[in-house]
């Protein structure tokens, strides 16, 4: 067995699977599973998307219901493996009706970074670069005609000094990327302007790439949960749970994980980059120097609960997998998305809903009851329950608060014995 399968990328699917079989302990059934699962996207498409493809890995795609955002009802697809997330978002959205959510995205400005090393005189270099701003922007904009035609393009330049083990002059190129995620456009622009920057600074361009910390691509969302709907006492309890996250990084981390359950699920369903989204959101949570919860809660004059979220979201509806993944296209259509701004508004609302659902449950009945119902169904199946027995076995386990395989088997035995009588 070896992991050095030279020329693997040149093989067709069958030959790749044969190579895998020879170089692993996978059984024929397991190889067959890989072979069949390629049908989710097909070999051609998957192999164009990434390298060395041998199969497709599927996630359940569910639908979050009850969302009304800026007055429009939206059916929201979520791709996720975790139980209770979609139900939680749908419940939170229902409790926010009839008004639902409001959301507003900023302009879609991304930042490209160019690191200049060996700059002798920072002040002189900075002056020269800023004096030539117009030319630099023109050079950047010559790289992407389509973006310019869509009204986007490089808009500004900022110069920073970054001091660490060495000191660097760092140029930020601010680019309006419109409906794209923007990584490709920005990286091309950064590379294109780097020799000009070298010339003006007397330094040497090293790194040239976007930053995922999209502080100029912010979306805000808000919802009000009425005291008559969720209960006055519960609002106080929810606030205590939120204050805990606000003061403690251990809790804030889990709180934000819950937000990302919702955010990522929509980001994945639309073919967007969830790793970029994760990196941006967590960095944004610590922008003040202390890692904070991404959503805030307060009580308004009426005593209702106000939830607000602010996220840096770099999402696209053109380019990349948003266009090549057939399901991503279907998901965007399902939500009736017309712009990247609209998509980020929806994603922020789902993040807020998800957080509300989690802290409402945590502040009141706890998270396990909801989880347990689904978990109990799975345990019942694993214990051998037939479709007509699952519900009775799982309900009994949940009622007893004892969701275990052994108990499921006992209940099944009792159930079948009684049936025979
Ligand atoms: C689980 O995936 C997410 C939660 O832990 C979030 C939270 O604690 O706020 C329930």
């Amino acid at each position: 067995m070896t992991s050095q399968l030279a020329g693997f990328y040149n093989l067709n699917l069958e030959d790749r699977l044969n190579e895998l079989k020879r170089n692993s302990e996978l059984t024929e059934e397991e190889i067959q599973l890989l072979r069949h699962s390629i049908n989710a996207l097909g070999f051609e498409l998957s192999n164009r998307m990434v390298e060395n493809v041998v199969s497709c890995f599927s996630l359940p795609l569910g639908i979050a219901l009850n969302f009304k955002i800026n007055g429009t009802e939206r059916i929201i697809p979520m791709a996720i493996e975790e139980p209770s997330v979609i139900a939680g978002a749908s419940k939170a959205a229902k409790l926010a009706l009839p008004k639902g959510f409001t959301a507003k995205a900023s302009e879609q400005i991304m930042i490209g970074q160019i690191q200049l090393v060996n700059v002798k005189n920072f002040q002189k270099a900075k002056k020269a670069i800023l004096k030539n701003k117009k030319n630099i922007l023109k050079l950047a904009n010559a790289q992407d005609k389509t973006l310019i035609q869509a009204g986007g393009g490089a808009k500004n330049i900022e110069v920073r000094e970054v001091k660490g083990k060495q000191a660097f002059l760092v140029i930020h190129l601010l680019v309006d990327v419109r409906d794209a995620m923007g990584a490709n456009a920005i990286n091309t622009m950064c590379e294109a302007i780097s020799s000009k920057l070298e010339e003006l600074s007397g330094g040497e361009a090293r790194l040239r790439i976007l930053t995922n910390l999209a502080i100029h691509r912010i979306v805000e969302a808000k919802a009000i949960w009425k005291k008559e709907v969720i209960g006055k006492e519960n609002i106080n309890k929810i606030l205590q749970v939120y204050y805990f996250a606000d003061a403690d990084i251990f809790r804030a981390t889990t709180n934000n994980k819950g937000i990302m359950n919702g955010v990522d699920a929509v980001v994945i369903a639309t073919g967007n980059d969830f790793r970029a989204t994760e990196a941006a959101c967590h960095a944004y949570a610590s922008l003040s120097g202390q890692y904070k919860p991404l959503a805030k809660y307060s009580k308004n004059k009426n005593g209702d609960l106000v939830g607000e979220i602010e996220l840096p979201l770099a999402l696209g509806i053109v380019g990349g997998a948003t266009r090549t993944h057939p399901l991503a296209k279907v998901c965007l259509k399902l939500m009736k998305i017309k712009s990247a701004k609209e998509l980020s508004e929806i994603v922020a609302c789902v993040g807020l809903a998800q957080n509300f659902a989690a802290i409402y449950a945590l502040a009141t009945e706890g998270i396990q009851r909801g989880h347990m119902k689904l978990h109990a169904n799975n345990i019942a199946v694993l214990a051998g329950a037939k479709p007509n027995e699952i519900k009775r076995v799982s309900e009994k386990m949940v009622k007893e608060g004892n969701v275990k395989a052994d108990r499921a088997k006992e209940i099944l035995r009792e159930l079948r014995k009684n049936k025979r009588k």
Side-chain angles (χ1 to χ4, degrees):
M1 282 193 204
T2 175
S3 67
Q4 298 173 44
L5 304 175
F8 192 81
Y9 68 96
N10 270 330
L11 303 179
N12 62 28
L13 179 62
E14 273 317 304
D15 292 341
R16 284 181 190 181
L17 290 173
N18 285 335
E19 277 288 278
L20 262 197
K21 189 145 186 239
R22 266 197 295 279
N23 288 285
S24 71
E25 283 167 5
L26 295 184
T27 62
E28 184 48 44
E29 286 80 61
E30 286 158 344
I31 293 285
Q32 187 68 351
L33 186 61
L34 288 175
R35 187 180 287 118
H36 279 158
S37 302
I38 193 74
N39 291 334
L41 286 176
F43 180 69
E44 283 294 311
L45 177 57
S46 320
N47 203 43
R48 253 186 283 133
M49 289 169 91
V50 301
E51 307 75 36
N52 293 346
V53 163
V54 293
S55 190
C56 280
F57 189 95
S58 299
L59 283 176
L61 182 72
I63 299 296
L65 300 171
N66 309 318
F67 274 85
K68 194 196 244 182
I69 299 170
N70 295 333
T72 304
E73 300 207 10
R74 306 268 186 179
I75 292 175
I76 304 177
M78 299 176 78
I80 189 160
E81 87 297 346
E82 186 175 327
S84 303
V85 169
I86 299 170
S90 304
K91 182 177 171 190
K94 191 170 187 182
L95 294 174
L97 289 172
K99 182 145 191 278
F101 297 77
T102 52
K104 185 153 181 42
S106 70
E107 289 309 311
Q108 302 293 289
I109 307 277
M110 291 288 280
I111 304 171
Q113 293 193 299
I114 297 124
Q115 173 196 24
L116 295 172
V117 304
N118 302 331
V119 175
K120 299 241 161 45
N121 186 332
F122 276 29
Q123 282 321 311
K124 214 170 130 196
K126 192 171 171 177
K127 244 188 177 163
I129 290 169
L130 291 176
K131 207 171 148 204
N132 280 275
K133 191 194 264 189
K134 254 194 184 154
N135 287 337
I136 301 168
L137 292 177
K138 207 168 148 195
L139 194 58
N141 282 329
Q143 309 307 313
D144 200 327
K145 296 259 156 26
T146 325
L147 187 59
I148 309 299
Q149 273 158 17
K155 301 289 176 193
N156 205 357
I157 278 172
E158 290 166 352
V159 186
R160 299 171 57 216
E161 277 180 45
V162 174
K163 290 198 179 99
K165 288 202 159 105
Q166 287 179 19
F168 308 111
L169 201 62
V170 175
I171 316 305
H172 278 192
L173 180 68
L174 273 53
V175 183
D176 183 341
V177 296
R178 298 273 132 170
D179 286 324
M181 187 274 186
N184 272 335
I186 292 177
N187 297 344
T188 310
M189 286 183 180
C190 286
E191 290 190 8
I193 63 173
S194 60
S195 6
K196 183 80 189 159
L197 294 172
E198 285 179 334
E199 191 188 297
L200 292 165
S201 65
E204 209 183 309
R206 189 68 69 236
L207 165 143
R208 298 157 294 170
I209 198 164
L210 90 164
T211 166
N212 288 113
L213 182 52
I215 56 160
H216 301 306
R217 211 172 174 182
I218 300 299
V219 54
E220 294 171 352
K222 181 176 169 180
I224 296 175
W225 285 276
K226 297 236 175 246
K227 63 175 186 296
E228 295 77 15
V229 179
I230 60 168
K232 208 166 142 190
E233 259 320 295
N234 287 340
I235 291 183
N236 292 333
K237 291 178 186 171
I238 291 170
L239 285 173
Q240 285 172 331
V241 167
Y242 159 62
Y243 297 150
F244 179 23
D246 193 52
D248 180 55
I249 187 169
F250 291 93
R251 174 55 209 156
T253 304
T254 319
N255 177 84
N256 289 346
K257 188 275 179 186
I259 292 176
M260 300 315 286
N261 276 344
V263 168
D264 285 347
V266 186
V267 168
I268 293 171
T270 55
N272 273 285
D273 183 342
F274 64 95
R275 289 85 56 209
T277 311
E278 284 277 338
C281 288
H282 294 294
Y284 199 65
S286 26
L287 217 53
S288 66
Q290 193 194 333
Y291 186 83
K292 288 280 185 183
L294 286 159
K296 289 183 183 154
Y297 293 86
S298 58
K299 219 192 275 189
N300 67 12
K301 283 200 300 279
N302 293 330
D304 299 327
L305 182 75
V306 182
E308 290 166 283
I309 194 165
E310 197 179 295
L311 299 174
L313 292 180
L315 306 177
I317 61 162
V318 296
T322 62
R323 284 292 158 102
T324 50
H325 196 300
L327 273 186
K329 280 199 284 193
V330 171
C331 290
L332 287 168
K333 188 170 175 193
L334 180 66
M335 286 188 281
K336 300 198 182 107
I337 300 279
K338 298 273 169 348
S339 66
K341 275 189 186 181
E342 231 179 357
L343 174 60
S344 66
E345 286 167 358
I346 290 176
V347 169
C349 293
V350 176
L352 179 59
Q354 210 68 61
N355 186 225
F356 170 82
I359 63 175
Y360 183 30
L362 287 165
T364 55
E365 62 173 24
I367 211 84
Q368 282 310 80
R369 232 180 85 189
H371 269 307
M372 273 307 156
K373 278 188 211 149
L374 280 163
H375 182 54
N377 283 343
N378 288 334
I379 296 290
V381 173
L382 287 176
K386 302 255 156 49
N388 61 337
E389 297 169 324
I390 299 171
K391 196 161 173 242
R392 288 173 73 185
V393 175
S394 79
E395 274 177 2
K396 196 153 179 15
M397 285 193 293
V398 170
K399 204 163 158 211
E400 293 171 353
N402 183 9
V403 184
K404 303 247 166 58
D406 287 348
R407 183 61 192 134
K409 282 182 189 152
E410 273 170 24
I411 299 172
L412 257 181
R413 270 198 297 273
E414 283 162 28
L415 210 90
R416 288 173 183 169
K417 208 163 89 193
N418 289 340
K419 219 172 158 193
R420 277 199 296 273
K421 274 183 192 163

